[in-house]
Amino acid sequence: MIRHRPAGSGHPYSDDTEQRSPVHPVAGEPLRLGVRTSADADAVHVELEWRDAAGTRVERHALSAVARSSRGQAVDGGHLASAQARQNRAAGGWELTLPSVPSGAELRYRFTAQRRDGAAESTRWFSCRVAAWRLGAADAVRVDAASSAPARPSEVEVLDDGERILRVRFALPLTEGEHVTGFGERFDTVDHRGQRLDSMVFEQYKSQGAHRRTYLPMPFAHVVGGAGWGFHVRTSRRVWFDIGASDASRLVVEAETDAVAEAAAIELALYGGTPTAVLDAFLAEVGRPTELPDWVFRLWASGNEWNTQAEVERQMALHREHDIPVGSVVIEAWSDESTFTAFRDARYEVRADGGPLRLDDFDFPSEGAWPDPKGMVDALHADDVRVHLWQIPLMKMRPHPQGQARADADAAIREDVLIKEVAPDGSLRPYRNRGWWFPLGLMPDLTDERAARWWTEKRRYLVEEVGIDGFKTDGGEHAWGADLRYLDGSHGDVSNNLFPVAYAAAYGRLLASAGKAPVTFSRAGFTGSQAHGAFWAGDENSTWEAFRWSMLAGLSAAASGVLYWGWDIAGFSGDIPDPELYVRAMAASVFVPIMQYHSEFNHHRLPSRDRTPWNIAERTGDDAVIAEVRQLVHLRERLVPYLAAQARESIRTSRPLMRPLYFDHPGDEQVWAHPIQWMLGEALLVAPVLEPGVSASTVYLPPGEWIDVWTGSAVRGGAVVTASTTRDRVPVFARAESWPALASVFGD
């Protein structure tokens, strides 16, 4: 066997052994050609035909053996990583790197593998054009600029293969003292000046800050300081940013495109004014947050091992016993893990046409995992707890599906509701998930209204009859590759980033059609996600470093217009956090828009890794944890009216609810020296403690009069102050004029 896939799997940050890299060769730059073979291959060579105006030149090169890699797979700890991680094979990969490719040429090539038994096997011929960078016309970038925007693009270049414009590159000016922020949810820093990043939706399992990858990118940024401005590259394709890394005076933007004509190959919106004015202009273009009900601001609780009705009810009873009120419970492992529409152990007749089932179609055996789902939900509602169910936008195909899952897969193909991919012979076939989570699963095209309705109707009974209040719309990152084809004819390079936006929107429409608020809880998104539900920061370990990364993620998401945001308090993966990290993280999360804890599946091994306060206390022997969390959650309950009112004001004004200090003080350099502080609404300044062993914390208070909410002491701003802090109290200051209305919130 010998295999070459020119575009590989579509992994944005890793080349597969059997691909061409770059997929579009660039004149004067190296070109890597690779194949994968069966283990009996003894040698591989490639025949190259270079065709240009001067004629055809033929070359023959031997490939070198390399270790095989595929889809960026790596080994890491944790439940999800066990699905992701496969050891790379020691043999089976072959590659050749050409140091430079000629300009103006078309390349035609094929590979031949020589087996040890003397037989040979060749691939088909592949071809590609060599592109070259050249100066572009000024109108290659279509600019929509506010009169107050001080910047304009310059140094326009295009990557031209002789038939199409593949990329556009241009520069925007940066002046001394300007800071560049935003770009969606980012985990590593607030100010990206001096760095490089890109805009690709990607599932980076843990350590997002170290890898500088994100589930929720946006090609949008603020430039704060100086005159004040911002920009939005109006594309869903991949965009790269050099933010003064190569030249401190230039912000270089490079965007994928697929234009026949050079004119208006890419669009750029430029906004002027304060960060709030810039964000308001951006949200007016891409969509503003939809107001969610007040109860979303109460505590969310979940654990992946709460996978029976008895365990959910037990955990909710423990919350009541310990007087730790819960507003929402998220049930992750509820389904049969096959259809993701039926409760595990439920009995029903397979619907051969793949149509939606109703509650009456199910029998729930008393000895099953979920003997009475509706009764459970009704009882939780009676206790003022909302219920959310976990979802994945894939049809699981490993192991081979049986029963309703088989009928659903057959119906999805028959009804033509799936994303497709280009097969080796050029035909279209259903896309099979290339990610490491649910590999080879089928993927419904939720960007298409008809297909989305087909998918969500299967879940209608959960909302209308069982009474579910929302969905955790997880795993929206699995559309990989430019060769994907969506039902509207668009390619993957256009629509892959948009998939998670459509995913949350589709479930929101289902909930709204049943008369419920469109409460979705997603980790993936892109431009336009602002209008669709709530978000959390994704998968992380229980470390202080991850705590810091998550707070940075919340601030950058807020700066990009995401209103309802939270994180897995103190991390969800691996062993439990120590009591100090757990309580510090809980104390900070009182002042984050969505307050929720969660824990990863651990195969029910003991000791438990649940992130409940009582499990932390039992595991560590620190009984004070429960009382401290009780006090913090009651404080959060008292804050809910304030948070709800401030969320409405944020939607009206575009000033983020969890607001980086530069929004209110764009010209104050001190805010950049204390980047992980924020305003929560109009009145509260929050400064989380992000290191262990801290008893006094430095806080920058902008000019004005402030009140320490824990002592009631007045403090003059415009200075760095030292705040004493116990582990269950994050430094918080209120604007003096707002304190009379808030004093009772902090007085108990």
PDB file of all heavy atoms in Angstrom, residues 280-308:
ATOM      1  N   ASP A 280     -18.961  48.083  19.869  1.00  0.00           N
ATOM      2  CA  ASP A 280     -20.341  48.341  19.461  1.00  0.00           C
ATOM      3  C   ASP A 280     -20.479  48.276  17.943  1.00  0.00           C
ATOM      4  O   ASP A 280     -21.443  47.685  17.420  1.00  0.00           O
ATOM      5  CB  ASP A 280     -20.786  49.710  19.981  1.00  0.00           C
ATOM      6  CG  ASP A 280     -22.234  49.998  19.654  1.00  0.00           C
ATOM      7  OD1 ASP A 280     -23.118  49.278  20.160  1.00  0.00           O
ATOM      8  OD2 ASP A 280     -22.491  50.941  18.874  1.00  0.00           O
ATOM      9  N   ALA A 281     -19.522  48.857  17.228  1.00  0.00           N
ATOM     10  CA  ALA A 281     -19.575  48.820  15.763  1.00  0.00           C
ATOM     11  C   ALA A 281     -19.429  47.389  15.257  1.00  0.00           C
ATOM     12  O   ALA A 281     -20.106  46.975  14.304  1.00  0.00           O
ATOM     13  CB  ALA A 281     -18.477  49.710  15.189  1.00  0.00           C
ATOM     14  N   PHE A 282     -18.556  46.619  15.884  1.00  0.00           N
ATOM     15  CA  PHE A 282     -18.360  45.222  15.500  1.00  0.00           C
ATOM     16  C   PHE A 282     -19.619  44.401  15.755  1.00  0.00           C
ATOM     17  O   PHE A 282     -20.072  43.629  14.893  1.00  0.00           O
ATOM     18  CB  PHE A 282     -17.175  44.668  16.281  1.00  0.00           C
ATOM     19  CG  PHE A 282     -16.881  43.207  16.047  1.00  0.00           C
ATOM     20  CD1 PHE A 282     -16.685  42.714  14.772  1.00  0.00           C
ATOM     21  CD2 PHE A 282     -16.769  42.333  17.120  1.00  0.00           C
ATOM     22  CE1 PHE A 282     -16.386  41.368  14.555  1.00  0.00           C
ATOM     23  CE2 PHE A 282     -16.475  40.995  16.922  1.00  0.00           C
ATOM     24  CZ  PHE A 282     -16.283  40.506  15.642  1.00  0.00           C
ATOM     25  N   LEU A 283     -20.234  44.556  16.940  1.00  0.00           N
ATOM     26  CA  LEU A 283     -21.437  43.791  17.266  1.00  0.00           C
ATOM     27  C   LEU A 283     -22.620  44.199  16.398  1.00  0.00           C
ATOM     28  O   LEU A 283     -23.479  43.364  16.079  1.00  0.00           O
ATOM     29  CB  LEU A 283     -21.774  43.950  18.746  1.00  0.00           C
ATOM     30  CG  LEU A 283     -20.777  43.337  19.731  1.00  0.00           C
ATOM     31  CD1 LEU A 283     -21.205  43.612  21.166  1.00  0.00           C
ATOM     32  CD2 LEU A 283     -20.622  41.842  19.490  1.00  0.00           C
ATOM     33  N   ALA A 284     -22.671  45.458  16.009  1.00  0.00           N
ATOM     34  CA  ALA A 284     -23.735  45.889  15.090  1.00  0.00           C
ATOM     35  C   ALA A 284     -23.630  45.148  13.769  1.00  0.00           C
ATOM     36  O   ALA A 284     -24.637  44.921  13.084  1.00  0.00           O
ATOM     37  CB  ALA A 284     -23.651  47.395  14.868  1.00  0.00           C
ATOM     38  N   GLU A 285     -22.447  44.752  13.423  1.00  0.00           N
ATOM     39  CA  GLU A 285     -22.197  44.045  12.164  1.00  0.00           C
ATOM     40  C   GLU A 285     -22.429  42.545  12.279  1.00  0.00           C
ATOM     41  O   GLU A 285     -23.027  41.931  11.392  1.00  0.00           O
ATOM     42  CB  GLU A 285     -20.758  44.321  11.726  1.00  0.00           C
ATOM     43  CG  GLU A 285     -20.315  43.618  10.469  1.00  0.00           C
ATOM     44  CD  GLU A 285     -18.850  43.857  10.174  1.00  0.00           C
ATOM     45  OE1 GLU A 285     -18.303  44.897  10.612  1.00  0.00           O
ATOM     46  OE2 GLU A 285     -18.239  42.997   9.516  1.00  0.00           O
ATOM     47  N   VAL A 286     -21.966  41.926  13.368  1.00  0.00           N
ATOM     48  CA  VAL A 286     -21.951  40.454  13.441  1.00  0.00           C
ATOM     49  C   VAL A 286     -23.028  39.875  14.346  1.00  0.00           C
ATOM     50  O   VAL A 286     -23.268  38.664  14.318  1.00  0.00           O
ATOM     51  CB  VAL A 286     -20.572  39.950  13.902  1.00  0.00           C
ATOM     52  CG1 VAL A 286     -19.488  40.474  12.983  1.00  0.00           C
ATOM     53  CG2 VAL A 286     -20.273  40.321  15.357  1.00  0.00           C
ATOM     54  N   GLY A 287     -23.692  40.696  15.147  1.00  0.00           N
ATOM     55  CA  GLY A 287     -24.759  40.207  16.005  1.00  0.00           C
ATOM     56  C   GLY A 287     -24.469  40.408  17.477  1.00  0.00           C
ATOM     57  O   GLY A 287     -23.368  40.114  17.950  1.00  0.00           O
ATOM     58  N   ARG A 288     -25.454  40.918  18.189  1.00  0.00           N
ATOM     59  CA  ARG A 288     -25.304  41.202  19.617  1.00  0.00           C
ATOM     60  C   ARG A 288     -25.762  40.014  20.457  1.00  0.00           C
ATOM     61  O   ARG A 288     -26.541  39.174  20.004  1.00  0.00           O
ATOM     62  CB  ARG A 288     -26.128  42.438  19.985  1.00  0.00           C
ATOM     63  CG  ARG A 288     -25.727  43.687  19.204  1.00  0.00           C
ATOM     64  CD  ARG A 288     -26.550  44.896  19.621  1.00  0.00           C
ATOM     65  NE  ARG A 288     -26.240  46.042  18.760  1.00  0.00           N
ATOM     66  CZ  ARG A 288     -25.172  46.832  18.913  1.00  0.00           C
ATOM     67  NH1 ARG A 288     -24.337  46.592  19.912  1.00  0.00           N
ATOM     68  NH2 ARG A 288     -24.955  47.833  18.093  1.00  0.00           N
ATOM     69  N   PRO A 289     -25.280  39.934  21.704  1.00  0.00           N
ATOM     70  CA  PRO A 289     -25.739  38.857  22.577  1.00  0.00           C
ATOM     71  C   PRO A 289     -27.259  38.879  22.761  1.00  0.00           C
ATOM     72  O   PRO A 289     -27.885  39.943  22.785  1.00  0.00           O
ATOM     73  CB  PRO A 289     -25.032  39.149  23.897  1.00  0.00           C
ATOM     74  CG  PRO A 289     -23.821  39.938  23.514  1.00  0.00           C
ATOM     75  CD  PRO A 289     -24.254  40.773  22.339  1.00  0.00           C
ATOM     76  N   THR A 290     -27.822  37.689  22.866  1.00  0.00           N
ATOM     77  CA  THR A 290     -29.240  37.526  23.182  1.00  0.00           C
ATOM     78  C   THR A 290     -29.380  37.404  24.696  1.00  0.00           C
ATOM     79  O   THR A 290     -28.662  36.608  25.327  1.00  0.00           O
ATOM     80  CB  THR A 290     -29.795  36.261  22.508  1.00  0.00           C
ATOM     81  OG1 THR A 290     -29.639  36.382  21.095  1.00  0.00           O
ATOM     82  CG2 THR A 290     -31.257  36.051  22.862  1.00  0.00           C
ATOM     83  N   GLU A 291     -30.260  38.183  25.276  1.00  0.00           N
ATOM     84  CA  GLU A 291     -30.415  38.136  26.731  1.00  0.00           C
ATOM     85  C   GLU A 291     -30.909  36.764  27.176  1.00  0.00           C
ATOM     86  O   GLU A 291     -31.872  36.218  26.627  1.00  0.00           O
ATOM     87  CB  GLU A 291     -31.403  39.210  27.197  1.00  0.00           C
ATOM     88  CG  GLU A 291     -31.534  39.263  28.711  1.00  0.00           C
ATOM     89  CD  GLU A 291     -32.515  40.317  29.185  1.00  0.00           C
ATOM     90  OE1 GLU A 291     -32.899  41.188  28.372  1.00  0.00           O
ATOM     91  OE2 GLU A 291     -32.905  40.270  30.380  1.00  0.00           O
ATOM     92  N   LEU A 292     -30.239  36.210  28.168  1.00  0.00           N
ATOM     93  CA  LEU A 292     -30.625  34.935  28.755  1.00  0.00           C
ATOM     94  C   LEU A 292     -31.267  35.182  30.112  1.00  0.00           C
ATOM     95  O   LEU A 292     -31.072  36.229  30.722  1.00  0.00           O
ATOM     96  CB  LEU A 292     -29.398  34.031  28.888  1.00  0.00           C
ATOM     97  CG  LEU A 292     -28.691  33.663  27.569  1.00  0.00           C
ATOM     98  CD1 LEU A 292     -27.505  32.740  27.832  1.00  0.00           C
ATOM     99  CD2 LEU A 292     -29.653  33.031  26.569  1.00  0.00           C
ATOM    100  N   PRO A 293     -32.035  34.213  30.612  1.00  0.00           N
ATOM    101  CA  PRO A 293     -32.752  34.428  31.881  1.00  0.00           C
ATOM    102  C   PRO A 293     -31.804  34.585  33.062  1.00  0.00           C
ATOM    103  O   PRO A 293     -30.654  34.136  33.048  1.00  0.00           O
ATOM    104  CB  PRO A 293     -33.617  33.169  32.016  1.00  0.00           C
ATOM    105  CG  PRO A 293     -33.015  32.173  31.110  1.00  0.00           C
ATOM    106  CD  PRO A 293     -32.363  32.916  29.998  1.00  0.00           C
ATOM    107  N   ASP A 294     -32.327  35.204  34.112  1.00  0.00           N
ATOM    108  CA  ASP A 294     -31.507  35.498  35.289  1.00  0.00           C
ATOM    109  C   ASP A 294     -30.898  34.247  35.907  1.00  0.00           C
ATOM    110  O   ASP A 294     -29.809  34.304  36.488  1.00  0.00           O
ATOM    111  CB  ASP A 294     -32.353  36.228  36.343  1.00  0.00           C
ATOM    112  CG  ASP A 294     -32.824  37.603  35.879  1.00  0.00           C
ATOM    113  OD1 ASP A 294     -32.550  37.966  34.715  1.00  0.00           O
ATOM    114  OD2 ASP A 294     -33.467  38.311  36.683  1.00  0.00           O
ATOM    115  N   TRP A 295     -31.571  33.089  35.790  1.00  0.00           N
ATOM    116  CA  TRP A 295     -31.076  31.899  36.476  1.00  0.00           C
ATOM    117  C   TRP A 295     -29.738  31.403  35.931  1.00  0.00           C
ATOM    118  O   TRP A 295     -29.061  30.608  36.589  1.00  0.00           O
ATOM    119  CB  TRP A 295     -32.103  30.772  36.473  1.00  0.00           C
ATOM    120  CG  TRP A 295     -32.701  30.351  35.153  1.00  0.00           C
ATOM    121  CD1 TRP A 295     -33.939  30.655  34.684  1.00  0.00           C
ATOM    122  CD2 TRP A 295     -32.091  29.499  34.158  1.00  0.00           C
ATOM    123  NE1 TRP A 295     -34.151  30.068  33.460  1.00  0.00           N
ATOM    124  CE2 TRP A 295     -33.037  29.356  33.115  1.00  0.00           C
ATOM    125  CE3 TRP A 295     -30.869  28.863  34.040  1.00  0.00           C
ATOM    126  CZ2 TRP A 295     -32.783  28.586  31.971  1.00  0.00           C
ATOM    127  CZ3 TRP A 295     -30.604  28.109  32.905  1.00  0.00           C
ATOM    128  CH2 TRP A 295     -31.549  27.970  31.887  1.00  0.00           C
ATOM    129  N   VAL A 296     -29.322  31.858  34.756  1.00  0.00           N
ATOM    130  CA  VAL A 296     -28.014  31.403  34.256  1.00  0.00           C
ATOM    131  C   VAL A 296     -26.882  31.926  35.132  1.00  0.00           C
ATOM    132  O   VAL A 296     -25.761  31.401  35.079  1.00  0.00           O
ATOM    133  CB  VAL A 296     -27.771  31.815  32.788  1.00  0.00           C
ATOM    134  CG1 VAL A 296     -28.856  31.280  31.876  1.00  0.00           C
ATOM    135  CG2 VAL A 296     -27.610  33.309  32.633  1.00  0.00           C
ATOM    136  N   PHE A 297     -27.159  32.944  35.954  1.00  0.00           N
ATOM    137  CA  PHE A 297     -26.118  33.500  36.812  1.00  0.00           C
ATOM    138  C   PHE A 297     -25.974  32.754  38.140  1.00  0.00           C
ATOM    139  O   PHE A 297     -25.081  33.073  38.925  1.00  0.00           O
ATOM    140  CB  PHE A 297     -26.387  34.982  37.077  1.00  0.00           C
ATOM    141  CG  PHE A 297     -26.249  35.837  35.846  1.00  0.00           C
ATOM    142  CD1 PHE A 297     -27.352  36.454  35.287  1.00  0.00           C
ATOM    143  CD2 PHE A 297     -25.015  36.010  35.242  1.00  0.00           C
ATOM    144  CE1 PHE A 297     -27.230  37.236  34.157  1.00  0.00           C
ATOM    145  CE2 PHE A 297     -24.883  36.788  34.111  1.00  0.00           C
ATOM    146  CZ  PHE A 297     -25.992  37.403  33.560  1.00  0.00           C
ATOM    147  N   ARG A 298     -26.801  31.773  38.374  1.00  0.00           N
ATOM    148  CA  ARG A 298     -26.662  30.961  39.573  1.00  0.00           C
ATOM    149  C   ARG A 298     -25.618  29.859  39.327  1.00  0.00           C
ATOM    150  O   ARG A 298     -25.118  29.693  38.211  1.00  0.00           O
ATOM    151  CB  ARG A 298     -28.012  30.371  39.974  1.00  0.00           C
ATOM    152  CG  ARG A 298     -29.083  31.440  40.232  1.00  0.00           C
ATOM    153  CD  ARG A 298     -30.409  30.811  40.634  1.00  0.00           C
ATOM    154  NE  ARG A 298     -30.283  30.127  41.906  1.00  0.00           N
ATOM    155  CZ  ARG A 298     -30.946  29.009  42.214  1.00  0.00           C
ATOM    156  NH1 ARG A 298     -31.765  28.434  41.335  1.00  0.00           N
ATOM    157  NH2 ARG A 298     -30.782  28.455  43.400  1.00  0.00           N
ATOM    158  N   LEU A 299     -25.252  29.104  40.348  1.00  0.00           N
ATOM    159  CA  LEU A 299     -24.217  28.080  40.240  1.00  0.00           C
ATOM    160  C   LEU A 299     -24.648  26.962  39.288  1.00  0.00           C
ATOM    161  O   LEU A 299     -25.746  26.425  39.389  1.00  0.00           O
ATOM    162  CB  LEU A 299     -23.924  27.489  41.622  1.00  0.00           C
ATOM    163  CG  LEU A 299     -22.903  26.347  41.659  1.00  0.00           C
ATOM    164  CD1 LEU A 299     -21.518  26.836  41.261  1.00  0.00           C
ATOM    165  CD2 LEU A 299     -22.879  25.703  43.048  1.00  0.00           C
ATOM    166  N   TRP A 300     -23.748  26.586  38.378  1.00  0.00           N
ATOM    167  CA  TRP A 300     -23.905  25.413  37.520  1.00  0.00           C
ATOM    168  C   TRP A 300     -23.030  24.303  38.116  1.00  0.00           C
ATOM    169  O   TRP A 300     -21.870  24.538  38.451  1.00  0.00           O
ATOM    170  CB  TRP A 300     -23.421  25.685  36.102  1.00  0.00           C
ATOM    171  CG  TRP A 300     -24.192  26.719  35.325  1.00  0.00           C
ATOM    172  CD1 TRP A 300     -24.505  27.985  35.708  1.00  0.00           C
ATOM    173  CD2 TRP A 300     -24.704  26.562  34.000  1.00  0.00           C
ATOM    174  NE1 TRP A 300     -25.178  28.640  34.712  1.00  0.00           N
ATOM    175  CE2 TRP A 300     -25.320  27.787  33.645  1.00  0.00           C
ATOM    176  CE3 TRP A 300     -24.694  25.531  33.074  1.00  0.00           C
ATOM    177  CZ2 TRP A 300     -25.925  27.988  32.411  1.00  0.00           C
ATOM    178  CZ3 TRP A 300     -25.292  25.723  31.844  1.00  0.00           C
ATOM    179  CH2 TRP A 300     -25.910  26.938  31.514  1.00  0.00           C
ATOM    180  N   ALA A 301     -23.569  23.084  38.190  1.00  0.00           N
ATOM    181  CA  ALA A 301     -22.829  21.966  38.772  1.00  0.00           C
ATOM    182  C   ALA A 301     -22.887  20.769  37.834  1.00  0.00           C
ATOM    183  O   ALA A 301     -23.939  20.492  37.234  1.00  0.00           O
ATOM    184  CB  ALA A 301     -23.409  21.585  40.134  1.00  0.00           C
ATOM    185  N   SER A 302     -21.767  20.068  37.703  1.00  0.00           N
ATOM    186  CA  SER A 302     -21.774  18.851  36.881  1.00  0.00           C
ATOM    187  C   SER A 302     -20.552  18.010  37.176  1.00  0.00           C
ATOM    188  O   SER A 302     -19.554  18.483  37.723  1.00  0.00           O
ATOM    189  CB  SER A 302     -21.821  19.187  35.384  1.00  0.00           C
ATOM    190  OG  SER A 302     -20.634  19.825  34.961  1.00  0.00           O
ATOM    191  N   GLY A 303     -20.650  16.752  36.815  1.00  0.00           N
ATOM    192  CA  GLY A 303     -19.533  15.817  36.872  1.00  0.00           C
ATOM    193  C   GLY A 303     -19.794  14.745  35.838  1.00  0.00           C
ATOM    194  O   GLY A 303     -20.925  14.244  35.727  1.00  0.00           O
ATOM    195  N   ASN A 304     -18.783  14.382  35.078  1.00  0.00           N
ATOM    196  CA  ASN A 304     -18.999  13.428  33.994  1.00  0.00           C
ATOM    197  C   ASN A 304     -19.369  12.047  34.506  1.00  0.00           C
ATOM    198  O   ASN A 304     -19.868  11.217  33.752  1.00  0.00           O
ATOM    199  CB  ASN A 304     -17.741  13.351  33.115  1.00  0.00           C
ATOM    200  CG  ASN A 304     -18.071  13.018  31.675  1.00  0.00           C
ATOM    201  OD1 ASN A 304     -18.833  12.099  31.412  1.00  0.00           O
ATOM    202  ND2 ASN A 304     -17.500  13.763  30.753  1.00  0.00           N
ATOM    203  N   GLU A 305     -19.137  11.799  35.784  1.00  0.00           N
ATOM    204  CA  GLU A 305     -19.504  10.503  36.347  1.00  0.00           C
ATOM    205  C   GLU A 305     -20.876  10.522  37.024  1.00  0.00           C
ATOM    206  O   GLU A 305     -21.276   9.522  37.622  1.00  0.00           O
ATOM    207  CB  GLU A 305     -18.406  10.029  37.292  1.00  0.00           C
ATOM    208  CG  GLU A 305     -17.103   9.802  36.526  1.00  0.00           C
ATOM    209  CD  GLU A 305     -16.034   9.091  37.310  1.00  0.00           C
ATOM    210  OE1 GLU A 305     -16.092   9.103  38.556  1.00  0.00           O
ATOM    211  OE2 GLU A 305     -15.123   8.522  36.669  1.00  0.00           O
ATOM    212  N   TRP A 306     -21.589  11.624  36.896  1.00  0.00           N
ATOM    213  CA  TRP A 306     -22.979  11.651  37.351  1.00  0.00           C
ATOM    214  C   TRP A 306     -23.822  11.062  36.222  1.00  0.00           C
ATOM    215  O   TRP A 306     -24.614  11.753  35.576  1.00  0.00           O
ATOM    216  CB  TRP A 306     -23.420  13.073  37.666  1.00  0.00           C
ATOM    217  CG  TRP A 306     -22.582  13.779  38.700  1.00  0.00           C
ATOM    218  CD1 TRP A 306     -21.497  13.301  39.369  1.00  0.00           C
ATOM    219  CD2 TRP A 306     -22.764  15.114  39.163  1.00  0.00           C
ATOM    220  NE1 TRP A 306     -20.991  14.243  40.236  1.00  0.00           N
ATOM    221  CE2 TRP A 306     -21.750  15.376  40.127  1.00  0.00           C
ATOM    222  CE3 TRP A 306     -23.676  16.124  38.868  1.00  0.00           C
ATOM    223  CZ2 TRP A 306     -21.638  16.595  40.791  1.00  0.00           C
ATOM    224  CZ3 TRP A 306     -23.565  17.341  39.526  1.00  0.00           C
ATOM    225  CH2 TRP A 306     -22.557  17.567  40.477  1.00  0.00           C
ATOM    226  N   ASN A 307     -23.668   9.783  35.982  1.00  0.00           N
ATOM    227  CA  ASN A 307     -24.240   9.176  34.780  1.00  0.00           C
ATOM    228  C   ASN A 307     -25.388   8.221  35.061  1.00  0.00           C
ATOM    229  O   ASN A 307     -25.676   7.328  34.268  1.00  0.00           O
ATOM    230  CB  ASN A 307     -23.145   8.463  33.976  1.00  0.00           C
ATOM    231  CG  ASN A 307     -22.466   7.343  34.746  1.00  0.00           C
ATOM    232  OD1 ASN A 307     -22.677   7.170  35.943  1.00  0.00           O
ATOM    233  ND2 ASN A 307     -21.638   6.575  34.047  1.00  0.00           N
ATOM    234  N   THR A 308     -26.043   8.431  36.199  1.00  0.00           N
ATOM    235  CA  THR A 308     -27.296   7.744  36.490  1.00  0.00           C
ATOM    236  C   THR A 308     -28.232   8.730  37.177  1.00  0.00           C
ATOM    237  O   THR A 308     -27.782   9.715  37.783  1.00  0.00           O
ATOM    238  CB  THR A 308     -27.101   6.531  37.424  1.00  0.00           C
ATOM    239  OG1 THR A 308     -26.637   6.997  38.698  1.00  0.00           O
ATOM    240  CG2 THR A 308     -26.100   5.530  36.841  1.00  0.00           C
TER     241      THR A 308
END
